[in-house]
Amino acid sequence: DHVSQPKYHVVGCRGSPPPPRLVPLDSMLFLLLLVCATRAAAASNCTAASQQQALRNIFSAWDGSGWRKPENWLDSSLECEDPATGIQLPAHCCWHGIKCCISRTCSEGQRPDVDRCGCEPGLVWEIDLDSCNLAGDFSSMDHNAFACELSGLRLSNNNLRGPIGQGFTVYRKLSWIDLQGNYLSGTLPRGIGKMSSLWLLFLSGNSLEGTVPPDICGNNTQLFSLALDHNKFSGRLDLSACTKLSYFVAKANNFSEVFHAGNAALPGLRAVFLEENGLHRPLPFDIFINYLPNLEQLALHKNRLTGTLPVMSMYSLKIVVLADNYFVGPVPESWAIMARPGLLVAVEFNYLSCCGTNPLSPEKLLMANGTLRIDDVYDGVDYSAPLLPPSLELSDELEPVLAHPRQSYKAKGMRCPKLKLAGQQEGPLSTLDWYMDPSYYMFVKCQCEEGLHLVNLTKPGRLPYFECQALQLDTSDDRESWEEAYPWAIVIIVVVGCFLLITMLLGLYLYKGTEVVQKLNNLKKRMHGLPTSGPFTAVVTDIQGWTALCAEHPELSSKVLSIHNSILRKARWNNFGSTHETEGDSYTMVFYEAKDAVAFCLQAQQMLSMQQWPSLREANSEEQSTHLMSSFENPVSELVRKKSCSNNSFAILNPLSISRRMKHHSTTSASSTCLDVRVRMGLASGFLVPGESLHGHPTIDLAKEVSDTAAGGQILMEGSTFSAIKDVLGELGTVDAQGMHLDRLRMRRVFSWPAFFLCRFIAPPSAASEDAVVLDMGTYTKSRPDQEQKQTRPAPNSSFPARSSRSFLLTPLSPKLSLTGYAQKSASPEELHLYQVLSAAGAERAKGWGSNLRLKSRLSLKDSLSKGYFDAPGTLAAPLGISKSPADASLPLVTTVFASVEQARVFSSKDMRQVERGLLACASKCLDQVQGDGYLCRVFGNLKLMLCFSKPEAALAWSCAMQECMMAQAWPRAALKEPFKEKRDQHGNLIFRGPRLRIGISQGRPKSIQPDHLGRADYHGDCVNSAARFMEGAAQGGMIVCEQDVAMRAAEAWAATQPSAEPEQALGPTLHTVHSWSPFQVPQSYLQVQQQQQQQQQQQQQ
């Protein structure tokens, strides 16, 4: 009436509110009055008369006639007087189990919850009907009648049923509730946490279910003791708000998780009993540090807890029971702080182990459900781990081990030691009440009871496992033998014995049998003489400068020839060869196997190098016996004795001295100078058809041609011979002046296994360093007589002729070159691929010859990709064979190039072979056009090349030319489709066509340069790895990636030809010139096809 205009208030809720609801202020005042009226009505019900009537209703609803103590109930005329104060109370205050208030105020020292003060006299203060055989529905009780002053309610151990009900939360002064031992069902009422005066709640032994409300402890909670055991509660239990809780029991429920990372600390909690629940997650490792810092008693046994035991950080614990779970691993060392007498620690019936490694996952453990032995849980054992935590040790006092249905071992009849404090004498003050499985400490000191013995059932590589088993004594006289009892065992023994015998014979054959077979085969070759059919290898030898020696020293030639012939015959006999023909100083020998032929050459060369040849002094002596090397039993002592020819004698010990003796000694030297006799050798392999003669055989002629190409002391062979011996270089590496020693190779293989285990402490010598060394000397073509022309090959280090300012990059292509491959060849000219073989100890002498060969005029290098080993940059500076000098000390800088075709996997095997031929053709033509000694190191199977250059400008120029040549090459159809289809820029210039190359370039000093399995130069080092990474990880198709230093060095070299330009100014235009100008032109047929396709497209559009 006093409001001129209605006022409105907005009533809403959290979240996304609906449109505001406008409520008049008059309505809110009405609601407030209604609440006040309801409370006044409740207070009006809280009278002595209403409470007496409510008690009568309880007696009637809960079968009061059957109560055990129904004295004075329902007697309203009973005079009731408080014996302590003499105050007259209502009659129901003297009924059994009922106590009423006696004073409105509490004097000093009195408590309302104990002395029945601070409340209205005559109102019910406590109801205690424990074990009175109450039977009925708990919801029949009128809670409103007692809500005002009731302080305690005990109805335990009765037969009350039904739910607790939401009306139970109306009590304002209720301090303790005891409803345990009934048949209450349903869920806990929400709002129970609003009973701020409640400090004890016992609900044990009922059938309550569901989850415990998270607000069971309110904001002003006083809850001190909570008992929920033996119910059907489930789910997650959150006690974060129960900050004053001290005693908590929840045994025999179905809780899944209680302690988790989201819990707040409960500093007041002293005792927790959660055994026989469904807890199946690991305990937080810091549960004793952050969550329960003042805990004294903890019982979590008979759950399904997994993981490891948590860290211990308190001394207040008195009882810790974690038995009968699924814990794994050792007991943490921090648990040693609890080691004191009187403390109970029970962790038995778990899978704990002091020394087990790699336990099973929790899922597998839970799935097994306790059927695993301890040695099946861990797959390894660490014997270095301690048996027990610090300050604990095993005592000498034994006690019986308790058996359990779910146990990781069989405890029957086993007695194991107790635990005690370390370093203290046996006694009650040192013995600990710690209980853990003996399998934890691997059954140390365990014994069996009388009549049983301890049996070791340990599995290989697993934890030790023991059991107590009964002794089986058979005292009968007529027992049958084991042969009769187990006849099948005899069969097994015979079969196993035969198997072991066969295995031993097979091993003996593999160790010695191959040698015996080889000796029989060698004997057969020696008896047959010259081959009449099948494969064979021919060796042609010749003394270098023999004609000049005969002319200058005819008196010594016969002696030299006699020694030479004796050495060759001895080496031929040792290697099972036959002499085909001789001509003066030249021998032609034939061998059944290429390995024997190469072994003959290696042995003969070492014998020749160790031989003491006649000196020039002997030319004036009339009587001087020719010295023949009849024995090579101790060649080193022979060399020491003959010091007069030290330069020649010690060549095998110092291979570098060979390079200083390459030229024939002049007759003008001192009279004591020894002759330097060198023999060149050539090998060729072929096939002899039955009935065909060796005279005039092409293989013999080829061997003579290879021998003529070699220098004195050099061994050359053609490609087929190398293919036959490339897999037996280890055996050839054992050849010395006395022949081949396969026992050395066998011993090397025997000791390779111990060396493998000792390699982390001692670096074993590489087996490859003792193999025979094979070097690729290049591939050469033979021209027909009508096309022969004189061709000279430049030296590896020769300089190129002077060129114009741009000529150091590219030179025009020869008109004889075709874009489809190599030069237009005439009727497939014959090719000759040469290889040089040396012993590992004398491999350094190859540097004296280098890449120089005595090529005839009709032999010429096949192409730029076929260069020999010493044409590769830095090979003359790199050590060969057995060398202890660091490989990278004197190696020069080289530039490594890796090039690969992008997306090469899309090609089929047939197309890949065609693309590889085109790729190699481009690489060869570009090497011809670029200045520098570019060398093809390796061709990988996935269209990838590795090249090496001595100059960075040559590597960059080759790479740019290669990108241009790839666009001009005639590719198969598969190489011109997506993703290799032709692309042009906005001006119509061709920018992509065919396979695209990714190129990576890096310059550096290699760590080593060694011949690979094919005799090619193989580079190792950071620069090689960097170039490969640039190609694989940085470059894309059509791109060249290099380091800045490489580009600047190339720019400086190019700027030298342009004195007016700085390196930074010369780099850009020069590379642009290389990239834009290309001597490679697209084939005319290809342009015609493109024009026809364009015309057809225009016609179709019209």
Side-chain angles (χ1 to χ4, degrees):
D1 296 334
H2 300 282
V3 180
S4 59
Q5 294 181 359
K7 296 183 180 180
Y8 298 91
H9 290 268
V10 179
V11 179
C13 59
R14 295 183 180 179
S16 299
R21 180 182 178 186
L22 303 180
V23 180
L25 183 59
D26 300 340
S27 300
M28 293 188 65
L29 294 175
F30 173 76
L31 293 175
L32 181 60
L33 293 175
L34 183 61
V35 171
C36 295
T38 303
R39 290 189 176 181
S44 63
N45 291 334
C46 194
T47 62
S50 62
Q51 290 182 352
Q52 189 177 78
Q53 182 59 39
L55 292 175
R56 290 177 179 273
N57 295 336
I58 289 175
F59 185 87
S60 175
W62 291 354
D63 192 15
S65 59
W67 291 5
R68 288 193 177 90
K69 297 179 180 180
E71 295 88 352
N72 302 327
W73 271 79
L74 304 182
D75 187 0
S76 59
S77 62
L78 182 67
E79 293 184 1
C80 183
E81 181 180 350
D82 182 60
T85 61
I87 299 175
Q88 190 71 26
L89 298 174
H92 61 269
C93 294
C94 292
W95 294 354
H96 174 73
I98 306 299
K99 292 182 181 181
C100 296
C101 296
I102 60 177
S103 175
R104 289 189 178 87
T105 60
C106 295
S107 60
E108 184 177 358
Q110 290 185 336
R111 292 174 51 185
D113 57 344
V114 176
D115 300 316
R116 296 188 289 169
C117 62
C119 54
E120 184 67 26
L123 296 183
V124 177
W125 178 80
E126 178 184 285
I127 300 178
D128 185 0
L129 297 177
D130 177 47
S131 303
C132 288
N133 198 25
L134 307 181
D137 193 347
F138 179 76
S139 59
S140 301
M141 181 177 178
D142 184 6
H143 301 290
N144 291 323
F146 308 99
C148 54
E149 301 295 347
L150 188 65
S151 177
L153 177 63
R154 178 179 288 122
L155 301 176
S156 55
N157 301 318
N158 286 289
N159 295 318
L160 298 177
R161 302 177 181 276
I164 296 178
Q166 193 66 30
F168 187 74
T169 61
V170 298
Y171 294 99
R172 299 195 299 270
K173 296 183 180 182
L174 194 60
S175 299
W176 53 272
I177 302 173
D178 186 359
L179 299 178
Q180 57 185 346
N182 283 283
Y183 297 95
L184 301 178
S185 59
T187 61
L188 283 180
R190 292 193 174 273
I192 196 172
K194 297 179 181 180
M195 302 168 66
S196 59
S197 59
L198 185 64
W199 63 273
L200 185 147
L201 178 60
F202 287 172
L203 299 175
S204 306
N206 285 283
S207 299
L208 299 174
E209 58 187 5
T211 60
V212 176
D215 58 348
I216 190 171
C217 296
N219 296 331
N220 300 320
T221 181
Q222 301 294 328
L223 192 61
F224 181 83
S225 298
L226 177 61
L228 303 176
D229 53 295
H230 294 90
N231 278 285
K232 299 179 181 179
F233 291 113
S234 60
R236 180 176 177 181
L237 179 60
D238 189 359
L239 300 176
S240 300
C242 300
T243 57
K244 296 184 179 181
L245 188 63
S246 178
Y247 179 86
F248 176 60
V249 182
K251 177 182 178 181
N253 280 284
N254 295 317
F255 291 116
S256 61
E257 186 178 8
V258 178
F259 304 107
H260 50 86
N263 277 40
L266 299 175
L269 200 57
R270 297 293 189 273
V272 176
F273 300 93
L274 283 167
E275 61 269 29
E276 299 182 28
N277 269 279
L279 304 180
H280 59 274
R281 296 187 180 182
L283 289 177
F285 74 96
D286 56 350
I287 181 176
F288 299 119
I289 301 176
N290 296 329
Y291 301 141
L292 306 174
N294 299 313
L295 193 66
E296 297 179 358
Q297 300 180 25
L298 176 64
L300 295 175
H301 55 284
K302 295 184 180 180
N303 280 288
R304 299 170 65 85
L305 296 173
T306 59
T308 59
L309 294 179
V311 178
M312 183 61 61
S313 65
M314 60 180 62
Y315 193 79
S316 60
L317 275 174
K318 299 177 181 178
I319 297 177
V320 180
V321 183
L322 300 177
D324 201 356
N325 279 287
Y326 293 84
F327 290 112
V328 295
V331 176
E333 295 182 358
S334 59
W335 283 49
I337 65 175
M338 298 190 304
R340 64 184 185 274
L343 171 67
L344 174 63
V345 177
V347 292
E348 71 268 35
F349 313 137
N350 280 284
Y351 292 108
L352 299 172
S353 175
C354 66
C355 311
T357 59
N358 299 327
L360 294 177
S361 62
E363 293 77 10
K364 292 184 179 180
L365 284 176
L366 294 175
M367 188 180 301
N369 197 20
T371 60
L372 296 176
R373 288 188 353 183
I374 188 66
D375 52 347
D376 293 330
V377 177
Y378 300 88
D379 64 356
V381 55
D382 180 13
Y383 288 102
S384 63
L387 287 179
L388 297 171
S391 72
L392 299 184
E393 65 180 9
L394 299 175
S395 67
D396 296 332
E397 181 182 356
L398 304 181
E399 63 179 356
V401 179
L402 298 178
H404 190 268
R406 190 183 66 81
Q407 207 163 19
S408 60
Y409 62 97
K410 290 185 178 180
K412 182 179 180 181
M414 187 176 293
R415 298 174 60 85
C416 292
K418 294 183 178 181
L419 300 184
K420 73 181 189 67
L421 296 175
Q424 298 187 13
Q425 296 181 354
E426 299 282 348
L429 296 180
S430 62
T431 303
L432 302 177
D433 293 331
W434 284 48
Y435 300 95
M436 59 176 57
D437 298 325
S439 59
Y440 177 85
Y441 46 84
M442 299 187 294
F443 300 95
V444 175
K445 292 188 177 182
C446 288
Q447 299 178 5
C448 294
E449 295 179 354
E450 187 177 357
L452 302 176
H453 69 290
L454 202 62
V455 179
N456 188 356
L457 301 178
T458 304
K459 300 177 182 178
R462 298 297 182 94
L463 284 171
Y465 183 79
F466 295 85
E467 288 184 3
C468 289
Q469 296 182 1
L471 293 173
Q472 297 180 358
L473 300 177
D474 191 358
T475 58
S476 60
D477 297 334
D478 55 348
R479 60 187 179 186
E480 57 182 359
S481 62
W482 69 270
E483 298 91 346
E484 299 174 352
Y486 307 103
W488 48 268
I490 300 178
V491 179
I492 294 178
I493 293 174
V494 172
V495 172
V496 173
C498 293
F499 175 76
L500 294 177
L501 180 62
I502 295 173
T503 304
M504 184 178 63
L505 293 177
L506 181 61
L508 183 63
Y509 169 77
L510 294 177
Y511 183 73
K512 278 290 188 180
T514 54
E515 182 180 354
V516 174
V517 173
Q518 184 64 35
K519 288 183 177 180
L520 294 176
N521 190 24
N522 294 338
L523 181 62
K524 179 181 178 181
K525 291 185 289 186
R526 185 170 289 168
M527 293 176 58
H528 285 181
L530 289 172
T532 58
S533 62
F536 72 98
T537 300
V539 179
V540 177
T541 68
D542 185 19
I543 300 178
Q544 177 178 312
W546 174 249
T547 303
L549 178 63
C550 292
E552 296 178 5
H553 305 287
E555 66 280 0
L556 298 179
S557 60
S558 60
K559 297 181 181 180
V560 171
L561 187 61
S562 177
I563 297 174
H564 165 267
N565 294 344
S566 176
I567 291 175
L568 293 189
R569 282 195 296 269
K570 181 177 179 64
R572 182 210 64 194
W573 175 262
N574 289 343
N575 295 281
F576 319 104
S578 302
T579 302
H580 171 56
E581 61 182 1
T582 60
E583 183 179 354
D585 64 313
S586 177
Y587 269 78
T588 301
M589 300 183 183
V590 181
F591 297 82
Y592 282 91
E593 296 181 11
K595 180 180 70 173
D596 297 334
V598 176
F600 158 76
C601 296
L602 292 174
Q603 181 183 358
Q605 289 291 5
Q606 295 183 69
M607 294 171 68
L608 291 169
S609 63
M610 297 174 63
Q611 174 62 36
Q612 180 186 6
W613 297 101
S615 62
L616 297 181
R617 181 185 300 174
E618 298 179 13
N620 301 325
S621 176
E622 297 180 356
E623 296 180 2
Q624 179 71 31
S625 61
T626 303
H627 172 73
L628 299 177
M629 187 174 65
S630 59
S631 175
F632 290 90
E633 294 298 324
N634 191 356
V636 177
S637 61
E638 185 74 12
L639 298 176
V640 175
R641 187 178 62 84
K642 301 172 181 178
K643 297 182 180 179
S644 60
C645 298
S646 60
N647 291 339
N648 293 339
S649 302
F650 288 92
I652 188 64
L653 300 179
N654 185 13
L656 290 176
S657 63
I658 299 297
S659 61
R660 297 193 294 268
R661 305 189 285 110
M662 290 303 297
K663 296 185 178 180
H664 184 69
H665 287 198
S666 175
T667 57
T668 61
S669 59
S671 60
S672 63
T673 303
C674 296
L675 292 176
D676 188 8
V677 179
R678 298 169 179 269
V679 179
R680 51 176 172 258
M681 300 180 180
L683 297 90
S685 299
F687 191 85
L688 186 64
V689 179
E692 186 179 9
S693 175
L694 284 173
H695 292 281
H697 196 276
T699 304
I700 304 294
D701 297 337
L702 181 59
K704 292 180 180 179
E705 186 174 5
V706 174
S707 176
D708 294 340
T709 307
Q714 195 174 20
I715 306 172
L716 293 182
M717 56 184 169
E718 46 79 41
S720 58
T721 306
F722 168 73
S723 300
I725 61 99
K726 66 179 181 179
D727 296 328
V728 293
L729 296 179
E731 299 180 18
L732 295 174
T734 63
V735 177
D736 59 9
Q738 298 178 358
M740 183 180 296
H741 302 276
L742 294 179
D743 54 339
R744 299 178 185 174
L745 182 64
R746 189 180 303 112
M747 293 304 296
R748 187 197 310 169
R749 293 172 179 172
V750 169
F751 287 107
S752 62
W753 285 105
F756 172 78
F757 294 103
L758 295 176
C759 63
R760 65 177 61 187
F761 306 105
I762 302 176
S766 176
S769 63
E770 302 179 11
D771 296 349
V773 179
V774 176
L775 304 177
D776 186 350
M777 301 302 293
T779 304
Y780 304 88
T781 57
K782 302 178 183 179
S783 303
R784 293 188 305 180
D786 56 345
Q787 292 185 352
E788 287 186 0
Q789 56 182 354
K790 187 174 182 180
Q791 300 181 6
T792 60
R793 178 185 177 190
N797 298 327
S798 62
S799 59
F800 286 82
R803 302 182 181 179
S804 62
S805 61
R806 298 288 184 181
S807 63
F808 64 90
L809 294 175
L810 294 172
T811 57
L813 280 174
S814 171
K816 294 183 179 181
L817 289 176
S818 170
L819 293 173
T820 59
Y822 296 118
Q824 296 290 348
K825 304 175 184 178
S826 56
S828 301
E830 187 177 358
E831 294 181 358
L832 180 61
H833 198 166
L834 295 179
Y835 294 88
Q836 181 180 186
V837 61
L838 307 100
S839 63
E844 285 289 335
R845 69 174 65 184
K847 296 181 180 178
W849 301 306
S851 58
N852 298 318
L853 297 176
R854 301 171 68 251
L855 298 176
K856 295 183 178 180
S857 58
R858 59 190 297 259
L859 286 178
S860 61
L861 190 65
K862 178 183 176 182
D863 51 41
S864 300
L865 305 181
S866 304
K867 297 178 182 179
Y869 176 82
F870 288 107
D871 291 328
T875 49
L876 290 175
L880 273 174
I882 302 176
S883 177
K884 296 182 180 179
S885 60
D888 58 348
S890 58
L891 297 183
L893 292 174
V894 298
T895 305
T896 309
V897 178
F898 274 86
S900 68
V901 174
E902 188 178 35
Q903 299 184 8
R905 296 182 178 179
V906 301
F907 295 116
S908 63
S909 57
K910 178 180 179 182
D911 295 332
M912 186 169 290
R913 288 192 295 269
Q914 296 179 1
V915 173
E916 182 177 358
R917 286 195 294 268
L919 178 64
L920 294 177
C922 285
S924 175
K925 289 179 289 191
C926 293
L927 282 178
D928 293 337
Q929 311 305 313
V930 176
Q931 178 184 2
D933 48 351
Y935 179 80
L936 178 65
C937 301
R938 184 176 298 183
V939 179
F940 300 92
N942 52 351
L943 300 181
K944 181 166 67 174
L945 306 178
M946 174 185 173
L947 295 92
C948 196
F949 296 82
S950 62
K951 302 175 183 178
E953 60 269 21
L956 283 172
W958 178 87
S959 302
C960 295
M962 194 68 182
Q963 296 288 12
E964 296 291 330
C965 183
M966 292 291 289
M967 291 192 296
Q969 182 71 17
W971 301 107
R973 290 185 178 181
L976 297 176
K977 299 179 180 179
E978 289 292 344
F980 311 111
K981 199 171 182 180
E982 174 185 327
K983 292 185 179 180
R984 296 179 180 271
D985 59 9
Q986 58 184 356
H987 303 293
N989 299 322
L990 184 67
I991 56 176
F992 288 115
R993 177 182 175 271
R996 303 176 188 176
L997 278 185
R998 302 179 300 170
I999 300 179
I1001 305 175
S1002 179
Q1003 186 183 28
R1005 195 181 305 277
K1007 291 185 178 179
S1008 65
I1009 307 176
Q1010 288 291 333
D1012 61 5
H1013 65 289
L1014 296 177
R1016 305 288 295 175
D1018 193 11
Y1019 293 78
H1020 298 276
D1022 295 338
C1023 59
V1024 179
N1025 299 334
S1026 298
R1029 293 191 187 102
F1030 291 163
M1031 178 200 68
E1032 294 289 349
Q1036 299 183 12
M1039 184 183 293
I1040 304 171
V1041 176
C1042 68
E1043 299 161 339
Q1044 182 180 3
D1045 294 342
V1046 175
M1048 293 307 300
R1049 291 192 186 100
E1052 292 174 358
W1054 293 338
T1057 61
Q1058 305 176 26
S1060 61
E1062 296 294 333
E1064 292 81 357
Q1065 299 174 355
L1067 178 62
T1070 307
L1071 288 178
H1072 177 72
T1073 304
V1074 175
H1075 181 69
S1076 59
W1077 175 79
S1078 173
F1080 307 101
Q1081 303 296 330
V1082 180
Q1084 187 65 25
S1085 59
Y1086 174 77
L1087 296 177
Q1088 293 176 358
V1089 171
Q1090 292 292 321
Q1091 292 176 0
Q1092 293 177 2
Q1093 292 180 355
Q1094 292 179 0
Q1095 292 177 1
Q1096 292 177 0
Q1097 291 178 0
Q1098 293 177 359
Q1099 292 176 2
Q1100 291 177 359
Q1101 292 177 358
Q1102 293 177 359

